[in-house]
Amino acid sequence: GESVGLHLPTLSVQEGDNSIINCAYSNSASDYFIWYKQESGKGPQFIIDIRSNMDKRQGQRVTVLLNKTVKHLSLQIAATQPGDSAVYFCAEFREGTALIFGKGTTLSVSS
Amino acid sequence: DGGITQSPKYLFRKEGQNVTLSCEQNLNHDAMYWYRQDPGQGLRLIYYSQIVNDFQKGDIAEGYSVSREKKESFPLTVTSAQKNPTAFYLCASSPGQGGYEQYFGPGTRLTVT
């Protein structure tokens, strides 16, 4: 079946390090791949998206990479800060359908 | 101050009772969604509505019902038929008739005993 999953449920980094959060997907027909951030007790927030015909997109301190050959998506956070501590979800989207979320990776940033 | 509000933040009910969770948005978004989140899990879609007076079932609609009488409001009723209702419920909206950039409310944590 269609699924979006993450390689690791938790990731711990030191403040100032770069973080890489990975996600594997199975549906080649998805049009967009998206990253959301969820802080404790809150709803998820949109971070960045990438269209399926792209392989890299950069935002402010974040970069998303898409490797369609191996169906892999990653989120890179530069100079990770304590405020980046949260659960990160990847999601996939096809036009005319709904978002499908993965299970999430908990990022813990220590000072 | 635009956004999505969900109330209450915490809700407790006895087994066998129906309960309605509120979701209101003033973003003028056409599409609204309800998700369920269980510990350590991703979000699973319960129902979504792309336009007033219309809604579709998501992946886990059994035991839930919704209505969309107004653009701003999309209440979710958790019925007694839902076997495991204790969860964190999230409401979201998006511009247009459905998209991937969704704006989420703060959630309602429902506990049924």
Side-chain angles (χ1 to χ4, degrees):
Chain A
E2 300 171 4
S3 67
V4 178
L6 290 167
H7 293 300
L8 292 174
T10 60
L11 177 65
S12 296
V13 300
Q14 292 284 324
E15 182 178 0
D17 287 351
N18 295 334
S19 302
I20 300 176
I21 301 171
N22 296 305
C23 176
Y25 65 92
S26 59
N27 188 357
S28 301
S30 293
D31 298 307
Y32 293 90
F33 298 89
I34 308 100
W35 285 98
Y36 277 84
K37 172 186 180 182
Q38 185 178 25
E39 296 177 356
S40 181
K42 296 182 180 180
Q45 283 181 293
F46 172 90
I47 302 174
I48 191 168
D49 65 290
I50 186 167
R51 195 180 176 100
S52 60
N53 61 358
M54 299 171 65
D55 52 22
K56 180 178 181 179
R57 189 168 186 210
Q58 288 186 290
Q60 188 176 13
R61 271 202 315 120
V62 295
T63 301
V64 58
L65 299 177
L66 177 62
N67 185 331
K68 292 179 285 295
T69 302
V70 296
K71 297 183 182 176
H72 184 266
L73 183 71
S74 69
L75 178 71
Q76 300 179 2
I77 304 174
T80 312
Q81 302 167 2
D84 295 325
S85 294
V87 180
Y88 289 82
F89 294 97
C90 64
E92 60 179 316
F93 180 79
R94 269 184 299 148
E95 296 287 353
T97 69
L99 270 176
I100 300 174
F101 284 87
K103 290 187 177 180
T105 290
T106 299
L107 175 65
S108 298
V109 182
S110 52
S111 303
Chain B
D1 203 19
I4 300 180
T5 57
Q6 292 184 244
S7 60
K9 191 167 179 64
Y10 299 96
L11 192 53
F12 298 88
R13 280 294 182 270
K14 294 290 187 185
E15 195 173 318
Q17 294 179 333
N18 291 353
V19 58
T20 297
L21 281 58
S22 166
C23 178
E24 304 279 330
Q25 56 101 357
N26 60 5
L27 300 168
N28 200 32
H29 287 170
D30 287 311
M32 296 187 74
Y33 311 81
W34 274 106
Y35 294 91
R36 170 184 172 135
Q37 187 174 29
D38 294 285
Q41 300 294 312
L43 282 66
R44 291 185 291 168
L45 183 64
I46 305 173
Y47 269 98
Y48 64 103
S49 168
Q50 295 173 304
I51 198 167
V52 174
N53 292 323
D54 188 46
F55 47 83
Q56 289 79 38
K57 292 182 179 180
D59 299 322
I60 55 166
E62 185 175 350
Y64 300 98
S65 66
V66 293
S67 63
R68 186 85 188 277
E69 297 176 1
K70 297 187 298 182
K71 188 175 186 178
E72 305 78 29
S73 179
F74 191 40
L76 173 75
T77 297
V78 184
T79 75
S80 56
Q82 169 50 232
K83 294 178 182 175
N84 297 296
T86 294
F88 188 50
Y89 290 88
L90 287 158
C91 179
S93 70
S94 65
Q97 292 189 359
Y100 60 81
E101 187 170 353
Q102 296 182 7
Y103 297 77
F104 283 83
T108 292
R109 189 166 298 280
L110 174 65
T111 302
V112 177
T113 58

